[in-house]
Amino acid sequence: MTSFESSPTLNAWRALLALAVVFVMLATTGWTAVRSHPGKTALQASLSAWEHGHLNGRELPDPDASPTRLARFFASLTAQQRTRLAHRYPLAVGNMNGAPVQLRYRANHIALDQARKVEKKRMHDSRLTPYGKQEAGRLMHRFEALMSGDRHILAFDPEGSGRIAEVFGDLDTAQRVSVIVPGVDTDLLTFQKTNKSYSAPVGMAQNLYAAENTAKSAADTGTRTAVIAWADYTAPGGLGIDSATAGRAEAGAVRLNALVRALPGSSQIALFCHSYGSVVCGVAAHELPPRVTDIAVAGSPGMRASTAAHLRTLARVWAMRDANDWIQDVPYMEVGGLGHGEDPVSRAFGARVLAAKDAQGHTGYFASGTDSLANFADIGVGAYDAVSCAHDTDICRQGLSDAPAAGRA
């Protein structure tokens, strides 16, 4: 007599169970509800104005032109002309890959101030419910915070739940750039948190940047680094159908590839992808340029691939998961577009598996003092020999002695 556990149809039953759970989610989350967005968004309006604009009688280039062509255009302008464009088309310039990063910072500061004024008016709009006014107030304060001090906002779009990216360090001179790709429930309001700051993109980036400075000092690499908190894609909200499928990841992958191809200079780039962010990185992997040397995922539900080799990337692929991370209980499969494939920390997947001691569950991989953060920092500065592997007998260190150290490539 064959037990159910040893039956060859066990995996099929598991797949059917997973599908049943998803269909329940569909029925209870209003997946089929239609949402309309009449009219142009603020960013679309700014881009449209740019497309019909002129500068001293000269037509402006296509905003979707290659970053190289756009960089040449901006380089041909005087400082005064560039500033004029930033004031005239702040959202367009602030999100334009190929525009000088310092100009994007100035343009986004202007755009944030405009968005702040809009929300300030909405706080007193009698047509809004009390909750709507409260949300307007929260957004106004968030925009004010993003404008404060010497913050470097690389991308900003106030539409819907919003998109944003912030830089820590100097992108123009960095030899190594780390890009943090966060997961579900990431938007303008959750971009930064006071409580458990390490669980939000800003805190993740701040901690990684500080740890990289410590790591490069210990490794004596002298490497100049920068970190980007990249929430410039529309992440799924909660554990619904969007987080179980690749739609948001596919759109995010296009934006992520556009970002890394437009970063200035010849810096090497490492991606640090958390939770659903690892799905984004997995989908993006095969089109990443060679300057992306590392993809490190933490708390991953899968990367839309059965093995690391199937990601079709030259980058080193790293994975980690804390022992107390609930993500380990998700079905690691992909059936009819649902689910994200093999577990990245499994031996079958073939990634370099890193230690994640004291990572504090699913949201704590960037917490100070953890093995996970130290490993990320070592990868970020290219100190590969210093990484702490989860196992002594796997492929974690394979070929690392031949990997070029940061600043010495």
Side-chain angles (χ1 to χ4, degrees):
M1 181 175 178
T2 304
S3 71
F4 181 77
E5 286 297 320
S6 62
S7 168
T9 61
L10 176 57
N11 286 336
W13 279 104
R14 284 176 174 166
L16 288 172
L17 177 60
L19 288 172
V21 171
V22 170
F23 285 130
V24 170
M25 291 164 60
L26 297 184
T28 57
T29 57
W31 175 53
T32 57
V34 176
R35 295 182 179 180
S36 59
H37 298 281
K40 291 181 179 179
T41 68
L43 175 56
Q44 289 170 342
S46 185
L47 288 169
S48 179
W50 170 282
E51 290 170 345
H52 294 89
H54 295 78
L55 182 65
N56 297 337
R58 177 183 178 186
E59 286 189 0
L60 302 178
D62 185 342
D64 292 324
S66 71
T68 302
R69 180 183 175 189
L70 289 170
R72 285 199 301 264
F73 166 75
F74 282 104
S76 72
L77 305 179
T78 65
Q80 184 179 26
Q81 289 173 327
R82 288 193 290 268
T83 299
R84 190 186 312 166
L85 290 175
H87 279 272
R88 191 179 296 172
Y89 315 104
L91 279 172
V93 174
N95 291 278
M96 194 172 292
N97 290 317
V101 293
Q102 296 296 330
L103 186 66
R104 290 179 68 169
Y105 298 158
R106 291 199 297 272
N108 283 319
H109 187 89
I110 296 167
L112 281 162
D113 188 43
Q114 292 176 348
R116 178 190 65 84
K117 291 175 181 176
V118 169
E119 298 306 321
K120 187 174 183 179
K121 289 182 180 179
R122 293 182 71 244
M123 288 173 61
H124 307 287
D125 190 334
S126 60
R127 295 170 296 179
L128 293 182
T129 64
Y131 176 77
K133 294 178 181 179
Q134 181 183 28
E135 288 297 288
R138 291 180 67 198
L139 280 170
M140 187 201 72
H141 291 303
R142 174 47 47 87
F143 296 152
E144 286 181 341
L146 291 168
M147 293 173 61
S148 63
D150 191 27
R151 300 188 72 164
H152 298 148
I153 306 304
L154 185 66
F156 168 62
D157 181 1
E159 180 64 19
S161 60
R163 297 195 299 255
I164 191 156
E166 183 172 7
V167 176
F168 298 85
D170 190 339
L171 276 183
D172 287 316
T173 63
Q175 295 166 291
R176 305 250 341 170
V177 176
S178 299
V179 181
I180 294 173
V181 184
V184 299
D185 290 329
T186 300
D187 55 32
L188 282 169
L189 290 175
T190 61
F191 185 59
Q192 184 173 5
K193 295 180 181 178
T194 301
N195 184 37
K196 295 184 177 180
S197 61
Y198 56 77
S199 66
V202 169
M204 292 177 180
Q206 288 174 327
N207 284 2
L208 180 58
Y209 186 56
E212 285 183 350
N213 283 314
T214 300
K216 72 184 181 185
S217 175
D220 195 28
T221 64
T223 305
R224 296 185 299 274
T225 62
V227 179
I228 302 175
W230 189 79
D232 194 27
Y233 82 105
T234 304
L239 300 179
I241 186 63
D242 284 337
S243 63
T245 55
R248 296 292 177 92
E250 289 167 355
V254 172
R255 301 184 66 82
L256 180 59
N257 263 299
L259 167 81
V260 297
R261 291 178 182 279
L263 291 178
S266 57
S267 56
Q268 294 180 317
I269 300 167
L271 305 181
F272 298 94
C273 320
H274 176 243
S275 193
Y276 188 85
S278 66
V279 186
V280 178
C281 292
V283 174
H286 71 283
E287 291 187 350
L288 292 171
R291 66 189 297 195
V292 177
T293 59
D294 299 271
I295 304 172
V297 303
S300 174
M303 300 182 71
R304 307 295 295 187
S306 57
T307 67
H310 288 165
L311 293 173
R312 292 180 291 150
T313 177
L314 296 176
R316 286 173 285 270
V317 179
W318 310 82
M320 66 170 69
R321 186 173 65 218
D322 178 59
N324 297 315
D325 190 337
W326 59 261
I327 203 75
Q328 64 190 305
D329 296 323
V330 306
Y332 281 99
M333 60 179 67
E334 190 276 319
V335 180
L338 298 170
H340 303 301
E342 183 61 70
D343 182 354
V345 302
S346 69
R347 187 174 297 275
F349 190 77
R352 302 170 186 269
V353 182
L354 296 164
K357 185 178 178 182
D358 300 325
Q360 303 178 24
H362 187 64
T363 61
Y365 291 96
F366 290 86
S368 298
T370 59
D371 280 4
S372 51
L373 180 64
N375 274 324
F376 282 162
D378 287 333
I379 292 169
V381 302
Y384 300 107
D385 288 342
V387 299
S388 175
C389 298
H391 314 292
D392 293 329
T393 57
D394 63 9
I395 64 169
C396 181
R397 295 190 177 279
Q398 183 178 336
L400 290 185
S401 59
D402 298 326
R408 298 195 295 273

